[in-house]
Amino acid sequence: MPKIVVDVMPKAELLDPQGKAVAGALARLGNDTFSGVRVGKRFELTVDGPVDEAVLASVREIADELLSNSVIEDVVGITVVDGNGAHSAAASGALA
Amino acid sequence: MPKIVVDVMPKAELLDPQGKAVAGALARLGNDTFSGVRVGKRFELTVDGPVDEAVLASVREIADELLSNSVIEDVVGITVVDGNGAHSAAASGALA
């Protein structure tokens, strides 16, 4: 069954305490490859039946209203993944 | 600067209370398009400098040991995203 993946990240201009904690842990472990870490959420919605424009529109609405808090978060990607794990249609990138 | 995105999801055989809560909210709102919702985490690691095999190996190790709890979670994707948001190299799909 097709899945739609919605990616939500904290807004770039806001502090991200979870990300800071991971970055601090990496630094303590001696890893200095990464200059920053941010932690967001990934939602996988399993769709009954085919993914058409109506379903995508409904996902966009859900992503904006239910899955993300637009005051502090951005929806950064909505991607359709088929049952085999291959990415097909996509509305990825900064959507905000 | 290039970013590496690590996607972590709860294992398929485990209950996901956050996902169940979202699915319940969708049902209460009258939306029956989706048969299931699972909620995982998305980590964005910003890399200083180019992404080579050594960096990717280090990300794989970090993903397995620091970013995910292998008892309850799977690393489902490690994707390189360049500064412009375009996806380039990828090690996506079920990595577990």
Side-chain angles (χ1 to χ4, degrees):
Chain A
M1 276 192 299
K3 269 190 256 178
I4 300 181
V5 175
V6 177
D7 290 312
V8 174
M9 295 299 293
K11 279 185 191 290
E13 61 271 28
L14 296 184
L15 272 179
D16 171 17
Q18 264 194 95
K20 289 262 178 264
V22 174
L26 286 174
R28 276 198 305 282
L29 294 170
N31 189 318
D32 57 359
T33 319
F34 307 103
S35 60
V37 181
R38 296 185 78 77
V39 183
K41 279 179 273 187
R42 175 189 159 99
F43 298 87
E44 288 188 359
L45 309 170
T46 307
V47 183
D48 277 333
V51 176
D52 53 21
E53 197 43 55
V55 172
L56 284 176
S58 139
V59 169
R60 272 182 223 115
E61 199 186 313
I62 291 168
D64 284 339
E65 295 184 1
L66 192 76
L67 304 181
S68 70
N69 175 349
S70 62
V71 177
I72 57 168
E73 292 170 326
D74 283 330
V75 177
V76 297
I78 296 177
T79 316
V80 181
V81 183
D82 69 24
N84 306 316
H87 293 246
S88 50
S92 204
L95 297 179
Chain B
M1 275 193 297
K3 270 191 256 179
I4 300 181
V5 175
V6 177
D7 290 313
V8 174
M9 295 299 292
K11 279 184 191 291
E13 63 268 31
L14 297 184
L15 273 179
D16 172 17
Q18 264 193 95
K20 289 262 178 263
V22 174
L26 287 174
R28 275 197 307 280
L29 294 170
N31 188 318
D32 56 0
T33 319
F34 308 104
S35 61
V37 181
R38 298 185 75 77
V39 183
K41 279 179 272 186
R42 174 188 160 101
F43 298 89
E44 288 188 359
L45 309 168
T46 307
V47 182
D48 278 334
V51 176
D52 52 22
E53 198 41 58
V55 172
L56 283 176
S58 140
V59 169
R60 271 182 224 116
E61 199 185 314
I62 290 167
D64 285 339
E65 296 185 1
L66 193 74
L67 303 182
S68 70
N69 176 350
S70 62
V71 177
I72 56 168
E73 292 170 326
D74 283 330
V75 177
V76 296
I78 296 178
T79 316
V80 181
V81 183
D82 70 22
N84 306 318
H87 292 247
S88 49
S92 204
L95 296 179

